[in-house]
Amino acid sequence: MAENLINDLLKTIEIKENVEIKDINTYSPLTLAYIGDAIYELIIRTMVISKGDRQVGKLHKESSELVKASTQAEISKSLKDILTEEEERVFKRGRNAKSFTTAKNASMSDYRTATGFEALMGYLYLSHQSDRMLELINTGLKNINYV
């Protein structure tokens, strides 16, 4: 059920032909992370609600656990052996980007790794590779024993 909801969601928010995306390789890694953070959270929230209607506080707690930097870092580390060269390059650009914000509730290492993960999600979304994005998210969640 979650898979169908997420596929429908991605079709709905897919970047349309009339929206011009510049050469994706010219975007800063923090810009990719900015959009990647949003799309990842939307996918996670969709997965969480697909499990059934519950109190909003419980939905928020479960979603927050999956989108926090330490969880994203754990997912990233579990995926490193299956990333393509291009995906690894994007991830590393995001991880190594000099951010002006600091981690509130995470180590700097986890925060930077999570930024790399978000940059990769943004890259996959903007380059119309939603299937690969979902594959990595699902694999990562399985690797950390979420699904």
Side-chain angles (χ1 to χ4, degrees), residues 67-97:
V67 300
K68 68 183 182 180
S70 60
T71 303
Q72 289 181 3
E74 187 179 357
I75 289 170
S76 297
K77 290 170 188 168
S78 80
L79 297 173
K80 71 178 188 167
D81 292 336
I82 65 167
L83 296 181
T84 66
E85 286 183 25
E86 180 68 10
E87 291 166 349
E88 188 174 345
R89 184 188 64 76
V90 172
F91 169 79
K92 285 180 178 179
R93 281 183 62 220
R95 183 194 63 200
N96 297 334

Side-chain angles (χ1 to χ4, degrees), residues 122-140:
Y123 173 84
L124 292 172
Y125 173 68
L126 291 175
S127 62
H128 305 282
Q129 297 181 65
S130 296
D131 289 341
R132 177 63 174 164
M133 180 178 58
L134 288 178
E135 177 186 345
L136 291 176
I137 291 170
N138 284 324
T139 300

Side-chain angles (χ1 to χ4, degrees), residues 34-141:
Y34 173 77
I35 193 70
D37 174 57
I39 193 69
Y40 176 71
E41 182 159 0
L42 192 53
I43 289 168
I44 291 300
R45 286 182 180 212
T46 304
M47 290 175 94
V48 168
I49 66 158
S50 74
K51 294 164 86 177
D53 195 18
R54 292 175 278 163
Q55 294 172 326
V56 173
K58 291 179 181 179
L59 296 171
H60 176 72
K61 183 176 180 181
E62 186 174 346
S63 296
S64 295
E65 279 297 311
L66 296 171
V67 300
K68 68 183 182 180
S70 60
T71 303
Q72 289 181 3
E74 187 179 357
I75 289 170
S76 297
K77 290 170 188 168
S78 80
L79 297 173
K80 71 178 188 167
D81 292 336
I82 65 167
L83 296 181
T84 66
E85 286 183 25
E86 180 68 10
E87 291 166 349
E88 188 174 345
R89 184 188 64 76
V90 172
F91 169 79
K92 285 180 178 179
R93 281 183 62 220
R95 183 194 63 200
N96 297 334
K98 303 295 182 231
S99 175
F100 296 103
T101 59
T102 58
K104 294 178 192 164
N105 298 310
S107 70
M108 188 51 75
S109 174
D110 281 353
Y111 184 75
R112 291 174 63 127
T113 302
T115 302
F117 176 75
E118 291 171 347
L120 177 57
M121 295 299 105
Y123 173 84
L124 292 172
Y125 173 68
L126 291 175
S127 62
H128 305 282
Q129 297 181 65
S130 296
D131 289 341
R132 177 63 174 164
M133 180 178 58
L134 288 178
E135 177 186 345
L136 291 176
I137 291 170
N138 284 324
T139 300
L141 292 174

